[in-house]
Amino acid sequence: KSHSADGGQEYDLSLVYYNRLTLPEQRLYSAIVGAAERLDEYSDTVDYYYDSDNLRNVLISITAEHPELFYLREDGVTVGGSGTSVRAQLSYIGTPAEIDMMMSELERAKAEYLSHIPDGADDYTAALALHDALIRGCSAPDDGDDNPLYNCSYGALVLGKATSKGYAQAYQTLLGEAGIYSFLEYGQTDNGSETVWNTLYIGGGYCCTDVLRDDPAFASEPSLVLHPYFCVTRETAAGAYEPFLPDLYSSDTSPDYYQSQELRAGSPEELNTLLVREIGKACAAGADYFELAIGYETGQNEFYDTVISAIGSVRDETGAGILDVCDIYPLVSENGVYMIGLQYPPQNTPDKLSGP
């Protein structure tokens, strides 16, 4: 994909980060990418001087735009030389033979994930299928488990463990295989906390997805998939994080997952109907949680009473063993997205683990 920049120059739209680099940074970017593709220890010589900020910009850009170079250790790349004639020294996560084996494993894992896309699926349906499959197949690492492979697509797709960067890079990889254009977005808070999400082109416009934040990782329901950060606006995805990129591609609207799945209530009557249906489905499946969205103003107490009333209706109609209590978790309050937690008598939930 390409379009005209100011002055009519054509540039590759798929290289969002590369296009924002200075000319010297672009030269270093190309030199490092070329060396990494060949698994060389040193890049070609570049006739410029670089400081640590230049190198950081370049490495962030490469990571964001080249998920296939997952084996490049970003923290192990240095630049040195004499005067303005410098070259980069690269570091990898394994030997060429080990990396070749990992790439073969990654190809097999990608094929398995891509098999979840329904035949004839449009881009939105394909993106949703990959989102759900990735959440079911991956989880965040345990505290203290800081394997660097969790920061890349290999960790997510092959090892089944990933950080926000690993989830995002894996999703980017899968979207690319499905023919869907996307790129990574970095965000940072004032205290230095960082996260990574995806911006993707769906249905003629850009929207954002944060797969990690849609993975609840509940011990009681490890396969539970949520969607509050699937195909949302950039403002929703960023939240309290300050994006690294300027706002060049986002729009004020995005596809509404909850509307498309008939999970958004536009009135109290619709909410009651939705709750009865979803509580009934949850009871039949033995599920503790489900998600929904509300498209109108309602008080917390009123919302809770409506859920309890719907629980009673389901129990009266089906005889389901479910208690007259519930938990309501705001997922993205400004979008009216919530998760409902149900409770069952102990005899109806054998061997249950702890909840969220």
Side-chain angles (χ1 to χ4, degrees):
K1 295 182 175 69
S2 65
H3 66 214
S4 294
D6 292 341
Q9 180 183 3
E10 290 288 324
Y11 67 93
D12 189 348
L13 183 59
S14 68
L15 299 179
V16 176
Y17 286 79
Y18 175 88
N19 295 329
R20 297 187 64 252
L21 297 175
T22 64
L23 178 59
E25 289 173 339
Q26 289 179 349
R27 297 283 176 80
L28 182 60
Y29 175 112
S30 298
I32 292 175
V33 168
E37 290 174 341
R38 301 186 300 268
L39 292 177
D40 289 345
E41 182 179 0
Y42 291 95
S43 73
D44 293 338
T45 300
V46 185
D47 293 330
Y48 291 97
Y49 170 78
Y50 300 93
D51 60 23
S52 59
D53 288 338
N54 297 136
L55 181 59
R56 178 176 180 273
N57 287 340
V58 168
L59 293 175
I60 285 176
S61 302
I62 291 173
T63 301
E65 294 172 340
H66 291 277
E68 74 279 6
L69 301 180
F70 67 89
Y71 49 81
L72 176 65
R73 288 186 55 226
E74 184 178 338
D75 61 352
V77 178
T78 59
V79 173
S82 176
T84 59
S85 182
V86 302
R87 62 178 180 170
Q89 183 174 13
L90 281 60
S91 177
Y92 303 105
I93 58 178
T95 65
E98 291 170 337
I99 292 171
D100 186 63
M101 183 178 66
M102 294 172 70
M103 292 176 70
S104 296
E105 293 174 327
L106 185 59
E107 288 301 315
R108 289 193 292 270
K110 287 193 297 185
E112 172 62 28
Y113 274 95
L114 292 168
S115 70
H116 291 276
I117 300 176
D119 292 339
D122 60 15
D123 285 351
Y124 178 86
T125 303
L128 176 59
L130 294 174
H131 167 278
D132 291 1
L134 183 55
I135 289 176
R136 291 191 175 100
C138 186
S139 61
D142 297 330
D143 292 342
D145 187 358
D146 55 357
N147 187 332
L149 289 174
Y150 297 157
N151 293 318
C152 69
S153 56
Y154 181 87
L157 301 180
V158 177
L159 303 180
K161 296 287 185 181
T163 62
S164 65
K165 183 185 289 185
Y167 270 92
Q169 193 180 88
Y171 195 47
Q172 178 190 31
T173 298
L174 295 173
L175 290 171
E177 293 286 339
I180 301 171
Y181 170 62
S182 71
F183 57 89
L184 301 189
E185 287 240 44
Y186 294 82
Q188 187 176 60
T189 61
D190 292 338
N191 64 9
S193 175
E194 295 184 349
T195 193
V196 186
W197 66 89
N198 301 85
T199 291
L200 50 157
Y201 189 77
I202 293 286
Y206 288 92
C207 58
C208 300
T209 295
D210 190 327
V211 184
L212 175 60
R213 278 192 281 178
D214 278 350
D215 189 344
F218 287 173
S220 59
E221 289 191 44
S223 64
L224 179 65
V225 177
L226 300 175
H227 302 85
Y229 293 99
F230 173 70
C231 283
V232 296
T233 63
R234 190 176 194 244
E235 180 181 6
T236 296
Y241 293 90
E242 180 66 29
F244 179 80
L245 288 176
D247 191 0
L248 300 174
Y249 301 93
S250 66
S251 61
D252 294 331
T253 60
S254 62
D256 188 337
Y257 167 82
Y258 296 94
Q259 191 70 43
S260 69
Q261 302 297 314
E262 299 183 348
L263 290 173
R264 182 176 290 278
S267 68
E269 294 75 21
E270 289 183 7
L271 177 59
N272 183 71
T273 300
L274 190 161
L275 283 167
V276 169
R277 184 188 73 215
E278 295 304 311
I279 292 171
K281 288 166 59 178
C283 288
D288 291 340
Y289 308 98
F290 65 91
E291 59 185 329
L292 57 76
I294 302 176
Y296 66 95
E297 293 292 332
T298 183
Q300 189 75 5
N301 291 337
E302 180 183 356
F303 186 16
Y304 182 87
D305 291 342
T306 304
V307 177
I308 296 301
S309 175
I311 288 174
S313 296
V314 171
R315 187 176 54 246
D316 292 343
E317 293 175 9
T318 67
I322 184 172
L323 299 177
D324 278 327
V325 292
C326 70
D327 296 306
I328 297 177
Y329 305 92
L331 298 179
V332 183
S333 298
E334 61 268 29
N335 292 345
V337 180
Y338 297 87
M339 183 177 67
I340 308 299
L342 304 176
Q343 296 187 30
Y344 303 89
Q347 64 269 23
N348 290 338
T349 56
D351 301 322
K352 277 289 182 185
L353 300 177
S354 61

